[in-house]
Amino acid sequence: MSKLRFNIAMSLDGFVAGPDQSSENPLGVGGEHLHEWLVPLAIFREAHGGEGGEVNASTQVVEEWFDNVGAFVMGRNMFGGGPGPWGDEPWEGWWGDDPPFHVPVFVLTHHEREPLEKDGGTTFYFVTDGIESALDQARQAASGKDVSIGGGASVVQQFVAAGLVDEFELSVVPRLLGRGERLLDNLGDADLELEQIRAIEAPGVTHLKYRMVR
């Protein structure tokens, strides 16, 4: 059965981005440290057109991010381009002509826009009528495969608070950011019971995987 899941890097004090995020600094001050374990990996470099790199216990985790995923959902901030209307020369994402998704991606936004087709099978669709509509469209596009939430924290929070997430993995980095965007805030009165699936220790990070108990 198709699952809704997400994976995200998080500081030890619960932040997934630092303070003062901007289009020039999308992860905020200090946020780049959350991915220091990821960037040296061979699988990451290959996905971004590079060569070489490391293979370690995190490699399996990153491989699984894309396994059996038929569509992604993400927020406007994750897609980028700043708030407000798209303008005459709209932003086309952080990832160039061949984004690493290779499946349909549904971007939550308040501003309508025609679909944006990229190389490699990625097409961005812009959804203006909320998370449930985005999930319905993503599941239809995924044809029975899983749907992955690409971020950021606000979108994850909305799906978690609505009880729609089935499984998630936190890549916890031994850093204290102190300020920024905290992942597990704004969940309202959501009554969540989690079951740990696994814990994987790797250089510079610990991967903790959970499923939601219904």
Side-chain angles (χ1 to χ4, degrees):
M1 183 177 176
S2 174
K3 293 182 289 189
L4 178 64
R5 54 189 171 99
F6 70 86
N7 51 269
I8 198 164
M10 186 179 77
S11 69
L12 197 59
D13 52 349
F15 294 96
V16 295
D20 303 322
Q21 295 177 68
S22 66
S23 56
E24 292 76 24
N25 192 12
L27 293 175
V29 176
E32 71 278 1
H33 296 307
L34 301 179
H35 300 95
E36 289 177 339
W37 61 273
L38 174 62
V39 175
L41 294 181
I43 187 172
F44 179 86
R45 295 189 177 185
E46 180 181 353
H48 293 81
E51 297 180 351
E54 302 173 7
V55 175
N56 59 38
S58 289
T59 299
Q60 172 194 346
V61 173
V62 177
E63 287 173 344
E64 291 178 2
W65 289 356
F66 297 93
D67 283 354
N68 197 45
V69 172
F72 286 84
V73 176
M74 68 173 59
R76 169 73 183 267
N77 287 347
M78 183 68 185
F79 179 77
W86 293 102
D88 295 332
E89 297 182 1
W91 176 261
E92 294 196 359
W94 302 103
W95 306 279
D97 292 330
D98 187 10
F101 306 105
H102 308 300
V103 294
V105 180
F106 295 84
V107 180
L108 286 153
T109 175
H110 296 296
H111 301 277
E112 293 184 356
R113 180 174 172 180
E114 292 299 310
L116 174 63
E117 186 173 352
K118 291 289 194 175
D119 296 340
T122 300
T123 298
F124 295 99
Y125 297 92
F126 300 91
V127 181
T128 58
D129 51 350
I131 62 169
E132 293 190 2
S133 174
L135 180 57
D136 287 344
Q137 294 179 57
R139 281 193 162 137
Q140 184 173 356
S143 300
K145 291 186 176 181
D146 293 346
V147 175
S148 180
I149 306 170
S154 175
V155 171
V156 169
Q157 290 164 6
Q158 291 177 61
F159 279 108
V160 171
L164 297 172
V165 173
D166 298 298
E167 188 175 288
F168 64 91
E169 188 153 36
L170 305 177
S171 296
V172 181
V173 176
R175 287 270 187 171
L176 300 175
L177 292 186
R179 295 186 300 136
E181 193 168 17
R182 196 184 294 273
L183 179 63
L184 297 177
D185 282 351
N186 306 312
L187 299 182
D189 57 357
D191 184 13
L192 306 175
E193 183 180 351
L194 306 178
E195 178 184 351
Q196 184 170 309
I197 299 173
R198 71 180 184 195
I200 295 178
E201 294 186 8
V205 65
T206 299
H207 305 284
L208 304 173
K209 192 170 187 177
Y210 299 90
R211 68 167 56 95
M212 297 289 192
V213 178
R214 299 286 191 249

